[in-house]
Amino acid sequence: MSSDSSAPLTLLDYRALYAGGARPADVLGALATRLAAMGGDAAWISLADPASVRAAAEELAERRAAGANLPLYGVPFAVKDNIDVAGMDTTAGCVAFAYRPARHATVVERLVAAGAVPLGKTNLDQFATGLNGTRSPYGAVPNSFDARYVSGGSSSGSAAVVARGLVPFALGTDTAGSGRVPAGFNNIVGLKPTRGIISNHGVVPACRSLDCVSIFALTVDDAQAVLDVAAVADPADAYSRARDAGTIAFPARPRIGVPRPLEFFGDHVQQAAFDAALARLAQWPAEIVPVDFAPFAEAAALLYQGPWVAERMAATEALMRANPAAVHPVVREVISLADRYSALDAFRGAYRLEELRSQTRPLWQTIDFLLVPTAPTIHTIAAMLADPVARNSELGVYTNFVNFLDLAALALPASLRTDGLPFGVTAIAPAMSEAALVAFGRRWHARSQLPLGATGRPMAGRDMEPQAAAWPPVAAGWMRLAVVGAHLSGMPLNAQLTSRGAVLVGETTSAPAYRLHALSGTVPPKPGLRRVTEGGTAIALEVWDMPAAAFASFVAEIPAPLGIGTLTLADGSTVKGFVCEPYALDGARDISEYGGWRAFCAAGT
């Protein structure tokens, strides 16, 4: 738990702190010094030297003064120790494997370029092989709420340092659920994006064809902000692909698939928590659709009960052959299964996986996303060590299939169980659905009324529902802007904001005094917003903060009939925002009944 109740926790907190005159060198230098003095924390494998942290922060201040766009200005973060950070050892949880990279992994490089500062490397199940957080020579990482229980893995340390409020976000990796199970066990957000949209260059592979870099954060908005910086097509990664952020949106009344039957391995407390989550959904404008889980379960089983386990040998073969004793006994047992499989087995497995993909593909015509328990149960560290393979395999029932089937997923806090341990759910949807998952996740998290991680601090003002919001003050040198159409998160023109360093403040609606129209002949398609004296309604929108120095170039890209005017929000405050010249609205279709552009696009009408 964060020892300072006034310490910044989220990206918005850090922005407000610096807007108030604080210096990153002072803030981050003090934090690095405090971490170095703590000692004995199994969540960390190595920490950055406080002097180097201060130097990096001083350089940031110089870059900002020179006019650089730094959307993550002065934000500290942690990095799972299978991801390269220049000048710090990469161990992958194995002392004998360690090496010191000369350059950052691509994802770290992008975050640092955006102003973030790495504070250290975090513990993990060795070679990212495990979902529990106990398979490390650096010690088992305990659950942030009850040290008798597992933290989840393999990204155990990354989840723990975020849950305790030490950093606002951390990088993990996810092959079988390592970016989601620890989130569920520690009451935080875990974003597992579409395979390939975050580069794996500079990441020690587990199963290279399935691996994803994942993001842990205390809020959904923070996870999205990091993704917006991190996602890039990278020629250095053969599995990299460009992010297509505007292809999927959920309707105002989504169809939510829930697996049947559900397996909880006798954990009635976990089952009751999921039942309570479904009862919450019953209060939403949503349709619950029972889903046959059998093909997903079979795909999940392929990961460790099929030839893909042999892929784990690819990254570790030299060490496994030359010095097997250097590998954790359970990890060695798992990776050694590779010798059971032949090339023929690999092809047969690939054929069966394609059959399962074909079976599950039509499902997405009947539902918008799946909602599952992030894990079906949780175990004590003692129980995990007593039966490490069987207990670990139980944790991946609702995670192992996701990368196989090329899906995106967002793990979300749901509740605290009756025994005080966190319970989480995960929303899962097709590739490139991150923006839609985030839109759902923001509302879900806000309604949970949970504290942020294990900090005990309330969510107040963060990840707000689309209504009157407690916005943070606008920082000096920035301006606030409302967007209603093609500039929304995940929409085709959103990059015109993010490329200028703009950051999402939150979602809300306009005052109930507007009508929204679908403009004809615009590319990409755009809406026009009109204020009316009667018959108006509230229109969903996003509020962004943009560096004032970038505003002129942004406005220059806005084509007629759109322009920038002043909009009134649901709470009565006013901001700059998109308006439309009246001539373009004559004969344009009135789509106000949809409540916003995203819902209209999702309806496909």
Side-chain angles (χ1 to χ4, degrees):
M1 185 175 293
S2 177
S3 60
D4 183 356
S5 61
S6 65
L9 294 179
T10 68
L11 268 61
L12 288 178
D13 291 344
Y14 275 91
R15 283 185 53 214
L17 188 67
Y18 297 138
R23 300 174 62 250
D26 297 333
V27 173
L28 301 187
L31 176 56
T33 299
R34 179 162 67 92
L35 292 178
M38 288 172 65
D41 189 339
W44 299 100
I45 288 180
S46 58
L47 289 164
D49 176 67
S52 68
V53 170
R54 288 190 181 90
E58 293 284 8
E59 182 185 348
L60 275 181
E62 295 174 4
R63 289 170 58 198
R64 194 181 206 188
N69 285 329
L70 301 171
L72 299 179
Y73 177 69
V75 176
F77 71 107
V79 181
K80 185 177 179 179
D81 201 14
N82 60 345
I83 303 173
D84 287 348
V85 174
M88 301 186 75
D89 285 353
T90 298
T91 72
C94 180
V95 177
F97 180 82
Y99 63 91
R100 179 159 292 190
R103 58 167 292 182
H104 296 315
T106 298
V107 60
V108 175
E109 194 171 74
R110 289 187 61 80
L111 295 170
V112 169
V117 179
L119 291 190
K121 307 293 292 294
T122 54
N123 204 351
L124 68 155
D125 284 317
Q126 191 177 78
F127 296 118
T129 301
L131 289 173
N132 61 84
T134 69
R135 300 172 178 177
S136 171
Y138 299 96
V141 178
N143 187 281
S144 300
F145 283 73
D146 187 334
R148 296 173 300 169
Y149 284 82
V150 298
S151 58
S154 60
S155 309
S156 52
S158 288
V161 298
V162 170
R164 290 155 53 200
L166 302 180
V167 291
F169 77 90
L171 297 181
T173 60
D174 188 306
T175 303
S178 299
R180 291 163 279 156
V181 171
F185 287 173
N186 290 277
N187 193 43
I188 61 174
V189 173
L191 175 57
K192 189 223 74 74
T194 301
R195 279 196 337 248
I197 66 170
I198 297 180
S199 172
N200 283 327
H201 180 64
V203 178
V204 178
C207 294
R208 190 180 175 201
S209 65
L210 300 175
D211 294 342
C212 297
V213 173
S214 66
I215 300 163
F216 294 104
L218 290 168
T219 73
V220 175
D221 282 339
D222 281 5
Q224 177 182 280
V226 175
L227 178 66
D228 287 342
V229 171
V232 63
D234 181 9
D237 175 10
Y239 286 91
S240 177
R241 52 179 161 170
R243 181 186 181 192
D244 185 356
T247 57
I248 297 175
F250 300 151
R253 188 174 185 269
R255 301 160 300 173
I256 303 175
V258 176
R260 292 291 185 262
L262 284 162
E263 175 61 74
F264 293 96
F265 299 99
D267 189 338
H268 300 298
V269 178
Q270 194 85 335
Q271 184 172 0
F274 189 63
D275 289 344
L278 294 182
R280 281 175 55 192
L281 273 183
Q283 309 302 315
W284 285 53
E287 177 185 356
I288 305 301
V289 180
V291 169
D292 178 12
F293 194 62
F296 295 96
E298 185 177 346
L302 280 176
L303 192 61
Y304 286 104
Q305 299 171 32
W308 276 269
V309 73
E311 191 174 7
R312 291 184 179 270
M313 181 68 85
T316 60
E317 183 176 16
L319 182 62
M320 284 285 291
R321 305 299 189 203
N323 187 12
V327 181
H328 187 282
V330 180
V331 175
R332 184 170 67 242
E333 178 184 347
V334 172
I335 295 177
S336 293
L337 294 173
D339 293 331
R340 294 184 181 180
Y341 296 99
S342 67
L344 180 59
D345 294 322
F347 278 107
R348 285 173 174 161
Y351 299 155
R352 184 54 185 156
L353 178 58
E354 285 305 315
E355 291 169 357
L356 293 169
R357 285 174 176 161
S358 179
Q359 287 181 31
T360 59
R361 199 171 292 124
L363 174 68
W364 303 108
Q365 303 304 312
T366 63
I367 66 170
D368 295 296
F369 62 93
L370 275 172
L371 190 76
V372 301
T374 299
T377 187
I378 185 171
H379 297 296
T380 63
I381 292 174
M384 182 63 63
L385 295 177
D387 194 357
V389 175
R391 297 288 79 80
N392 185 85
S393 66
E394 292 173 357
L395 303 184
V397 168
Y398 300 115
T399 58
N400 285 358
F401 63 88
V402 172
N403 287 339
F404 263 145
L405 301 179
D406 198 18
L407 307 173
L410 179 65
L412 297 161
S415 65
L416 296 180
R417 301 178 359 153
T418 55
D419 58 6
L421 290 169
F423 171 73
V425 296
T426 297
I428 302 168
M432 307 298 174
S433 62
E434 288 81 11
L437 290 171
V438 161
F440 165 76
R442 182 182 295 118
R443 290 174 172 85
W444 174 270
H445 199 194
R447 294 185 186 186
S448 73
Q449 299 183 334
L450 288 167
L452 293 173
T455 67
R457 304 259 290 273
M459 195 185 301
R462 307 170 174 100
D463 278 5
M464 296 298 293
E465 291 268 25
Q467 52 186 309
W471 306 118
V474 182
W478 291 66
M479 64 173 299
R480 188 152 288 171
L481 177 73
V483 300
V484 298
H487 288 85
L488 293 166
S489 300
M491 291 293 180
L493 299 183
N494 184 249
Q496 291 182 357
L497 292 169
T498 57
S499 65
R500 290 174 168 84
V503 293
L504 179 65
V505 178
E507 279 189 336
T508 185
T509 67
S510 71
Y514 292 87
R515 305 296 296 181
L516 192 68
H517 299 259
L519 301 178
S520 60
T522 55
V523 180
K526 305 178 186 69
L529 189 68
R530 175 178 61 166
R531 182 153 190 153
V532 295
T533 56
E534 59 181 32
T537 188
I539 301 299
L541 54 80
E542 291 178 350
V543 176
W544 289 72
D545 280 355
M546 175 184 289
F551 186 64
S553 66
F554 174 73
V555 172
E557 292 190 356
I558 300 173
L562 299 177
I564 298 294
T566 300
L567 302 184
T568 303
L569 303 183
D571 62 357
S573 64
T574 58
V575 295
K576 296 303 178 186
F578 280 83
V579 296
C580 185
E581 295 184 64
Y583 77 85
L585 301 176
D586 293 338
R589 179 182 174 186
D590 189 321
I591 59 171
S592 305
E593 63 185 286
Y594 290 91
W597 183 245
R598 195 186 300 281
F600 170 72
C601 293
T605 56

